[in-house]
Amino acid sequence: MSDQTPPVDEMQYERLAHEALRGVMRAALERVLAEGLPGAHHFYITFKTRAAGVSVAPDILAKYPDEMTVVLQHQYEDLRVEADRFSVKLRFGGMPKSLVIPYSAVTRFYDPSVQFLLQFEEPEIVEAVEETPAPSHDPSPVSDGPKVVSLDQFRKK
């Protein structure tokens, strides 16, 4: 055993790495914005619904009080990609709903067409959540609490 104290990572390399990987997600979304989804590519984006800066309709928040996964594939509109967040309009129960999702709220970004997965540390949760009105239905499976989904079901067989 050594009496030396462990070094302090004053560069915060872990945080820098996560920021860089979120840049990969942003670049993928920017490409989709400019060119559309190429080939069979599509995204499963999981985010914390109560993270700072997230804006979702109250009914979506009630249905997904902790975490939600959205799919960007065939039916999405008004995708906007900014430096620190993206927004998109999806249909829930046939009703269009706008979502604003900061990259810092995303916990997983998955493209099953090539089995590409980015997983991030969980963000800090805030009590007050920005909300946009309207009822909805999420196309992903419903749960009453946190749910761990095996990505094996999305892999090619």
Side-chain angles (χ1 to χ4, degrees), residues 6 8 29 35 70 75 85 100 114 132-133 137 143-144 146-147 149:
V8 175
L29 290 169
E35 305 169 15
V70 294
Q75 298 180 357
R85 72 190 55 165
V100 177
V114 292
T132 54
H137 174 67
S143 74
D144 291 325
K147 180 176 180 184
V149 177

Side-chain angles (χ1 to χ4, degrees):
M1 285 280 189
S2 172
D3 289 339
Q4 294 180 339
T5 59
V8 175
D9 180 9
E10 294 180 30
M11 292 297 294
Q12 299 180 337
Y13 285 112
E14 188 76 23
R15 183 182 59 78
L16 292 173
H18 280 276
E19 286 175 10
L21 291 173
R22 282 189 170 94
V24 171
M25 175 176 48
R26 183 179 60 247
L29 290 169
E30 286 172 341
R31 181 169 177 192
V32 169
L33 182 62
E35 305 169 15
L37 280 162
H41 289 278
H42 58 288
F43 309 139
Y44 286 77
I45 302 172
T46 303
F47 65 98
K48 291 294 190 176
T49 55
R50 294 188 184 275
V54 169
S55 178
V56 298
D59 59 318
I60 293 174
L61 185 60
K63 199 173 209 177
Y64 301 95
D66 179 52
E67 188 172 77
M68 177 180 187
T69 299
V70 294
V71 180
L72 295 186
Q73 187 171 16
H74 301 297
Q75 298 180 357
Y76 65 91
E77 302 170 31
D78 298 333
L79 177 63
R80 295 183 184 177
V81 181
E82 298 177 37
D84 61 343
R85 72 190 55 165
F86 71 97
S87 60
V88 66
K89 188 180 293 181
L90 299 173
R91 294 194 175 272
F92 298 89
M95 300 294 297
K97 307 282 180 144
S98 292
L99 305 167
V100 177
I101 306 167
Y103 303 116
S104 60
V106 174
T107 57
R108 285 184 297 281
F109 176 87
Y110 180 58
D111 183 342
S113 70
V114 292
Q115 298 185 22
F116 179 78
L117 172 68
L118 295 174
Q119 196 155 333
F120 303 103
E121 294 175 351
E122 297 206 359
E124 278 189 39
I125 303 305
V126 294
E127 288 302 314
V129 177
E130 297 174 35
E131 298 176 346
T132 54
S136 73
H137 174 67
D138 183 359
S140 61
V142 178
S143 74
D144 291 325
K147 180 176 180 184
V148 176
V149 177
S150 170
L151 295 180
D152 292 337
Q153 64 184 325
F154 304 116
R155 288 191 168 86
K156 293 180 184 176
K157 304 229 180 214

